[in-house]
Amino acid sequence: MLATSTPRTAIVTGAARGIGAATAKRLAADGHRVAVLDLDAASCAETVAAITDAGGQAIGVGVDVADADQVAAAVAQVAEALGGPTILVNNAGITRDNLIFKMTEQDWDSVIGVHLRGSFLMSRAVQAYMTQEKFGRIVNLSSTSAQGNRGQVNYSAAKAGLQGFTKTLAIELGKFGVTANAVAPGFIQTDMTRATAERLGVSFEDFIAFSAKEIPVQRVGQPEDIAATISFLTSDEAGFISGQVIYVAGGPMD
Ligand code: NAP
């Protein structure tokens, strides 16, 4: 599918690696100016270099998306350097997996903080530019874990919460030309799933092979599978799709 897009300023959080890095590169290839946000500004350099080497425009910005002051400063910095942002991909994420009887309050708070508070703070800051421009595209990263996953009460609660957050953003911001959608990946081959394999005590290769057998298309996903979906959802022509949860998991989800 060829997505058509007017060049805009896009922000991708957690874009130093994994799905965020692939999405930042894809949005740059679509013609957008891309702000690569991650915890540490230095860690953004690789993604920024990949974009600029390919002829695109990008900056790296260090920010903890769960910190309101840092978010306000980062979004202002992006607007100053690249113009007001009208595409936002809330991708930054962490896992702190454990069965509930072993889960600490810190495990709970940090996961809810990055995914839910982070997406709220970023969306609140960026919607000011979107409503002014009468155009906006917000994509939030949910997960198949929203439907429940052993060892992830914190993460599945956050990812299910993001689905309600997305639908409400769609309702509130639709009249300003802003759409909000959630992409819910299944197994994607990144450092996050590598860490899950380590936690389970299996090699990443075996974990991938085992997981692929359970997926209807018989393979695990790659970051580019998610980036392609986000490319379409942020395009001009996706303006009538809003408040949806798109599962990108190699098979059907309820
Ligand atoms: P990843 O490889 O672990 O990358 C996540 C990035 O987010 C890292 O660069 C991380 O920085 C950054 N980050 C963490 N906390 C942050 C904060 N407070 N502020 C700013 N940046 C922060 O993860 P991924 O697999 O690409 O996942 C990306 C998103 O997709 C996440 O929301 C994840 O929950 C979701 N997802 C992934 C899968 C999957 O199978 N991989 C499936 C479903 C959903 P550091 O490196 O410094 O920690």
Side-chain angles (χ1 to χ4, degrees), residues 10-35:
I11 292 179
V12 185
T13 68
R17 55 200 173 94
I19 293 168
T23 301
K25 290 180 217 169
R26 176 61 195 255
L27 295 183
D30 289 343
H32 302 301
R33 305 172 294 277
V34 180

Side-chain angles (χ1 to χ4, degrees), residues 14 16-20 38-39 63-66 91-94 114-115 141-143 155 159 185-188 190-193:
R17 55 200 173 94
I19 293 168
D38 212 289
L39 269 178
V63 61
D64 177 354
V65 295
N91 167 82
I94 57 169
V114 175
H115 294 272
L141 268 289
S142 179
S143 168
Y155 185 80
K159 292 309 198 185
F187 186 122
I188 309 297
T190 69
D191 290 344
M192 187 175 274
T193 39

Side-chain angles (χ1 to χ4, degrees), residues 15 55 64 87 106 112 114 121 129 131 180 198 213 217:
D64 177 354
I87 294 174
Q106 180 62 38
I112 298 294
V114 175
L121 292 174
Y129 297 93
T131 52
E198 267 171 37
K213 285 200 191 109
V217 301

Side-chain angles (χ1 to χ4, degrees), residues 64 67 82-83 90 186 206 212 230 251:
D64 177 354
D67 183 301
L82 299 178
N90 284 310
D206 286 351
I230 294 172

Side-chain angles (χ1 to χ4, degrees), residues 123-160:
S123 302
R124 190 180 62 175
V126 172
Q127 61 79 33
Y129 297 93
M130 293 176 168
T131 52
Q132 195 181 328
E133 282 299 309
K134 298 279 187 289
F135 178 93
R137 298 280 186 263
I138 299 174
V139 178
N140 299 313
L141 268 289
S142 179
S143 168
T144 51
S145 295
Q147 302 197 4
N149 196 28
R150 185 179 169 80
Q152 292 196 315
V153 285
N154 50 1
Y155 185 80
S156 60
K159 292 309 198 185

